[in-house]
Amino acid sequence: QVQLLESGGGLVQPGGSLRLSCIISGNIGSIYSMAWYRQTPGKQRELVADITSVGSSTNYADFVKGRFTISRNNNKNTLYLQMNSLNPEDTAVYLCNAEAVGTDTQGYRKLDIWGQGTEVTVSS
């Protein structure tokens, strides 16, 4: 199975930058897309950005376009989120997500895997 572990969160001033990392282990080849989500107590979990395993096609939420960049290294074992021009509204727990294919006696099924999250605080 796939396991995900986020790191890189912390405290940053408005206008600053931060890079989040997600270390991927297990059956990496089963993953067909990855994403960063974020969660705050007063909001639903929201998609920040995603990237496909084949072709590295990316998609961004409108509120981060031009500021954040999602990428994955060539070995496919690390997912990144480069965050620039941060503002206090970006404060959240950021979660790494993988969509993968699993198999059982019934055939193929979709797996949705989550990391524990890394906390980002943007404050002066």
Side-chain angles (χ1 to χ4, degrees):
Q1 186 68 292
V2 174
Q3 296 88 40
L4 307 173
L5 181 62
E6 303 96 331
S7 64
L11 175 65
V12 64
Q13 293 184 358
S17 297
L18 209 58
R19 189 177 79 159
L20 307 183
S21 298
C22 175
I23 298 173
I24 309 157
S25 60
N27 190 6
I28 296 172
S30 69
I31 299 169
Y32 57 86
S33 69
M34 296 201 70
W36 287 99
Y37 286 78
R38 68 187 189 186
Q39 181 102 57
T40 60
K43 287 185 174 182
Q44 294 183 339
R45 185 182 62 196
E46 58 186 358
L47 175 68
V48 176
D50 58 53
I51 185 168
T52 61
S53 295
V54 176
S56 298
S57 178
T58 58
N59 176 66
Y60 295 93
D62 287 341
F63 55 82
V64 304
K65 284 182 178 177
R67 299 192 297 126
F68 292 8
T69 303
I70 188 170
S71 62
R72 193 174 175 188
N73 69 352
N74 290 335
N75 290 334
K76 301 291 186 181
N77 64 357
T78 311
L79 181 74
Y80 300 99
L81 185 68
Q82 178 66 49
M83 305 186 294
N84 299 325
S85 301
L86 287 161
N87 58 64
E89 290 71 37
D90 296 317
T91 297
V93 174
Y94 284 74
L95 299 158
C96 181
N97 167 262
E99 292 187 338
V101 175
T103 58
D104 55 25
T105 56
Q106 302 297 314
Y108 294 97
R109 63 187 178 95
K110 178 186 174 183
L111 302 177
D112 199 24
I113 302 116
W114 296 90
Q116 294 296 308
T118 185
E119 187 171 356
V120 172
T121 302
V122 184
S123 176
S124 60

